[in-house]
Amino acid sequence: MRTANPKVPTPRLQPESRRMQRNSRRMTVLVLTGVLSLLLNACSTLSAGTRMNELAPESWQSTHNVIQADAVYADDLSQWWMRFNDPTLTELVELALAEGPTVESARLRLVQARAARTSTNSGFWPSLSASAGSNVSRNENLDTDEVGIDRGSSTGLGASWQLDLFGEQRATSRAANADLDASEAALYGARVTLASQVAAAWFEYRTLHERYAVTQNSLAFSEESYELNCIRVQVGLDSGLELLQQTATIESTRSQLPALKQSLQESANAISLLCGRTPGELIEILEAGVSQNPNTLPVVTPGIPAETLRQRPDVIQAEAEVEAAIARRQAAQRSRFPSLSLSGNVGASSGDLDGWFTPEQLAMSAAAGLTAPLFQAGKLAANVKSQQAAEEQAWLSWRTTVQEAIAEVQNAIGDLEAKRVTREAIEHSTEATMNAADLVVLQEEAGLADRLSVLDAQRNALSAQQSLTAARAAEWAAQASLYAALGGGWDSGNGKEK
């Protein structure tokens, strides 16, 4: 008869052993989850470049189709203001870029971002600490009334290193690098905006100066006509009605001069502030520059929309902010995984203060530990959700920035085309008015026209020239706005501002 083997009872684990097994399994799960998360993060992020191709139009729309024949393509717009061949404009823009408060503020934020990146990257390296101390103790024997004094000294050197097992520190470093890129792009954007503002302010100053001069000349012609009409009224060749009408015209023209002069001063003050100077400090430069007439240059033709948008500083900044948000989200996810820390200490102690540099005892210690967060009341999970929401906000902000950039470029193209068509029409009208004035002068010389007709024709010619000056200034300002909309004002080739 066969006997069954007796069943060997499985030894029951003590509570402490079961807890250690559970913690070990939990640690293993966390490690495997961390590795899987690293692999998924490496391939789950859709780049901004891919999304840019989805948002950007295939080509820019042209309403009037007047910028294609003699156009200059947007190859290098880092110093677009020099294309106007206006030395005063170049001087003002370069002065503003060197000393303007808005650019200086952006530059200081860039310095701050560089310091923050250095502080973040220091986490890759071990940290060292040194210590030194002394102690004095007093011992009193109550039985013998003897008092003893014990003196000692100690020195020590400690080191610790947090190993970046799952890339939390690397993700934090990428976020800091992206923040730095965003600050650099913000500096470039400040330069682009400032250059455009200076150009617009300078063109406005030129227009106001021309309007003031034309108004003065028109007033002089009106006063001369008034004197001639006074003579005609005195000899009975004309009634007093036209004389009263001319008086109203003279006073109306004279009333425009104070407002124009005030606007001229305000425009000069605005330029000074943009350049970081005290109002009135640049008046000599401005007055010397109004006598120079810049050329109307060929309009720059934007390139491929996607490539054009990628060189805009605001788009670059928004993309860098997306990269920073992605890195922070990854850092938050990886903060839930185990971390390994190494530490060590070496120290010496002496029983006598006099033996500070000749220690009697030397001690060394080293330790390594693997720790993982097990329970923090939902803090880590909430941080991950927060960073995920921040990432979604960064993507939304990037998308809005790109869409606004598309609209800005398209609007700048349409505005420039409209300003150019308007200027060409006013040029033709001004040319006809000037020819009519020349014809009246010839008729006066031939005895076929009187002096009043000549003065009226010359006054009309001045008014036409004033309109043409304003139209040209509007076209120049629109052209500067297009340069800025295309991201001109910094060197997009090597990422360094000029």
Side-chain angles (χ1 to χ4, degrees), residues 190-339:
R191 291 175 57 86
V192 171
T193 302
L194 182 59
S196 177
Q197 290 175 343
V198 172
W202 169 238
F203 295 146
E204 180 185 10
Y205 182 87
R206 291 179 60 90
T207 303
L208 290 171
H209 192 278
E210 181 68 18
R211 286 181 58 189
Y212 187 81
V214 169
T215 302
Q216 284 183 318
N217 292 334
S218 179
L219 178 61
F221 285 135
S222 297
E223 290 176 343
E224 186 176 353
S225 297
Y226 177 82
E227 293 175 358
L228 292 176
N229 275 324
C230 285
I231 297 176
R232 291 173 62 88
V233 170
Q234 290 176 359
V235 298
L237 297 177
D238 201 350
S239 65
L241 178 60
E242 185 175 355
L243 195 62
L244 292 175
Q245 292 175 343
Q246 286 188 336
T247 301
T249 301
I250 290 174
E251 296 304 325
S252 176
T253 303
R254 183 179 287 113
S255 67
Q256 297 176 15
L257 292 176
L260 286 174
K261 190 171 184 180
Q262 177 64 23
S263 298
L264 196 62
Q265 181 178 355
E266 292 176 357
S267 180
N269 292 339
I271 294 175
S272 297
L273 293 177
L274 288 173
C275 295
R277 297 299 183 91
T278 304
E281 188 175 348
L282 302 178
I283 192 64
E284 295 182 0
I285 297 177
L286 301 179
E287 289 296 328
V290 293
S291 60
Q292 303 167 350
N293 294 319
N295 300 324
T296 301
L297 302 178
V299 181
V300 62
T301 297
I304 301 174
E307 297 300 326
T308 300
L309 295 173
R310 287 191 180 97
Q311 69 181 7
R312 283 178 55 111
D314 56 345
V315 175
I316 296 174
Q317 180 180 356
E319 184 174 347
E321 290 172 350
V322 168
E323 294 177 359
I326 292 174
R328 289 192 177 93
R329 185 258 301 165
Q330 293 174 347
Q333 291 173 333
R334 296 167 189 179
S335 67
R336 307 174 70 177
F337 306 142
S339 60

Side-chain angles (χ1 to χ4, degrees), residues 8 36 76 90 103 145 167 198 220 247 277 304 330 353 357 422 472 479:
V8 179
L36 180 60
D76 180 16
T90 300
V103 172
D145 294 333
V198 172
T247 301
R277 297 299 183 91
I304 301 174
Q330 293 174 347
L353 289 177
F357 296 103
T422 302
R472 284 175 175 171
Q479 190 166 346

Side-chain angles (χ1 to χ4, degrees), residues 75-96:
D75 47 2
D76 180 16
L77 302 180
S78 58
Q79 293 180 313
W80 55 262
W81 48 87
M82 300 186 67
R83 293 174 180 256
F84 288 90
N85 295 326
D86 186 343
T88 303
L89 173 61
T90 300
E91 182 179 2
L92 291 175
V93 170
E94 292 179 351
L95 179 62

Side-chain angles (χ1 to χ4, degrees), residues 123-124 161-167 169-170 338-342:
F124 286 109
W161 191 9
Q162 187 83 18
L163 298 184
D164 193 24
L165 287 181
F166 294 99
Q169 180 64 32
R170 291 191 295 273
S339 60
L340 177 63
S341 60
L342 305 176

Side-chain angles (χ1 to χ4, degrees), residues 130-133 153-157 346-350 356-357 359 361-363:
S131 63
S153 63
S154 63
T155 57
L157 182 66
V346 58
S349 62
S350 174
W356 187 283
F357 296 103
Q361 296 180 357
L362 180 65

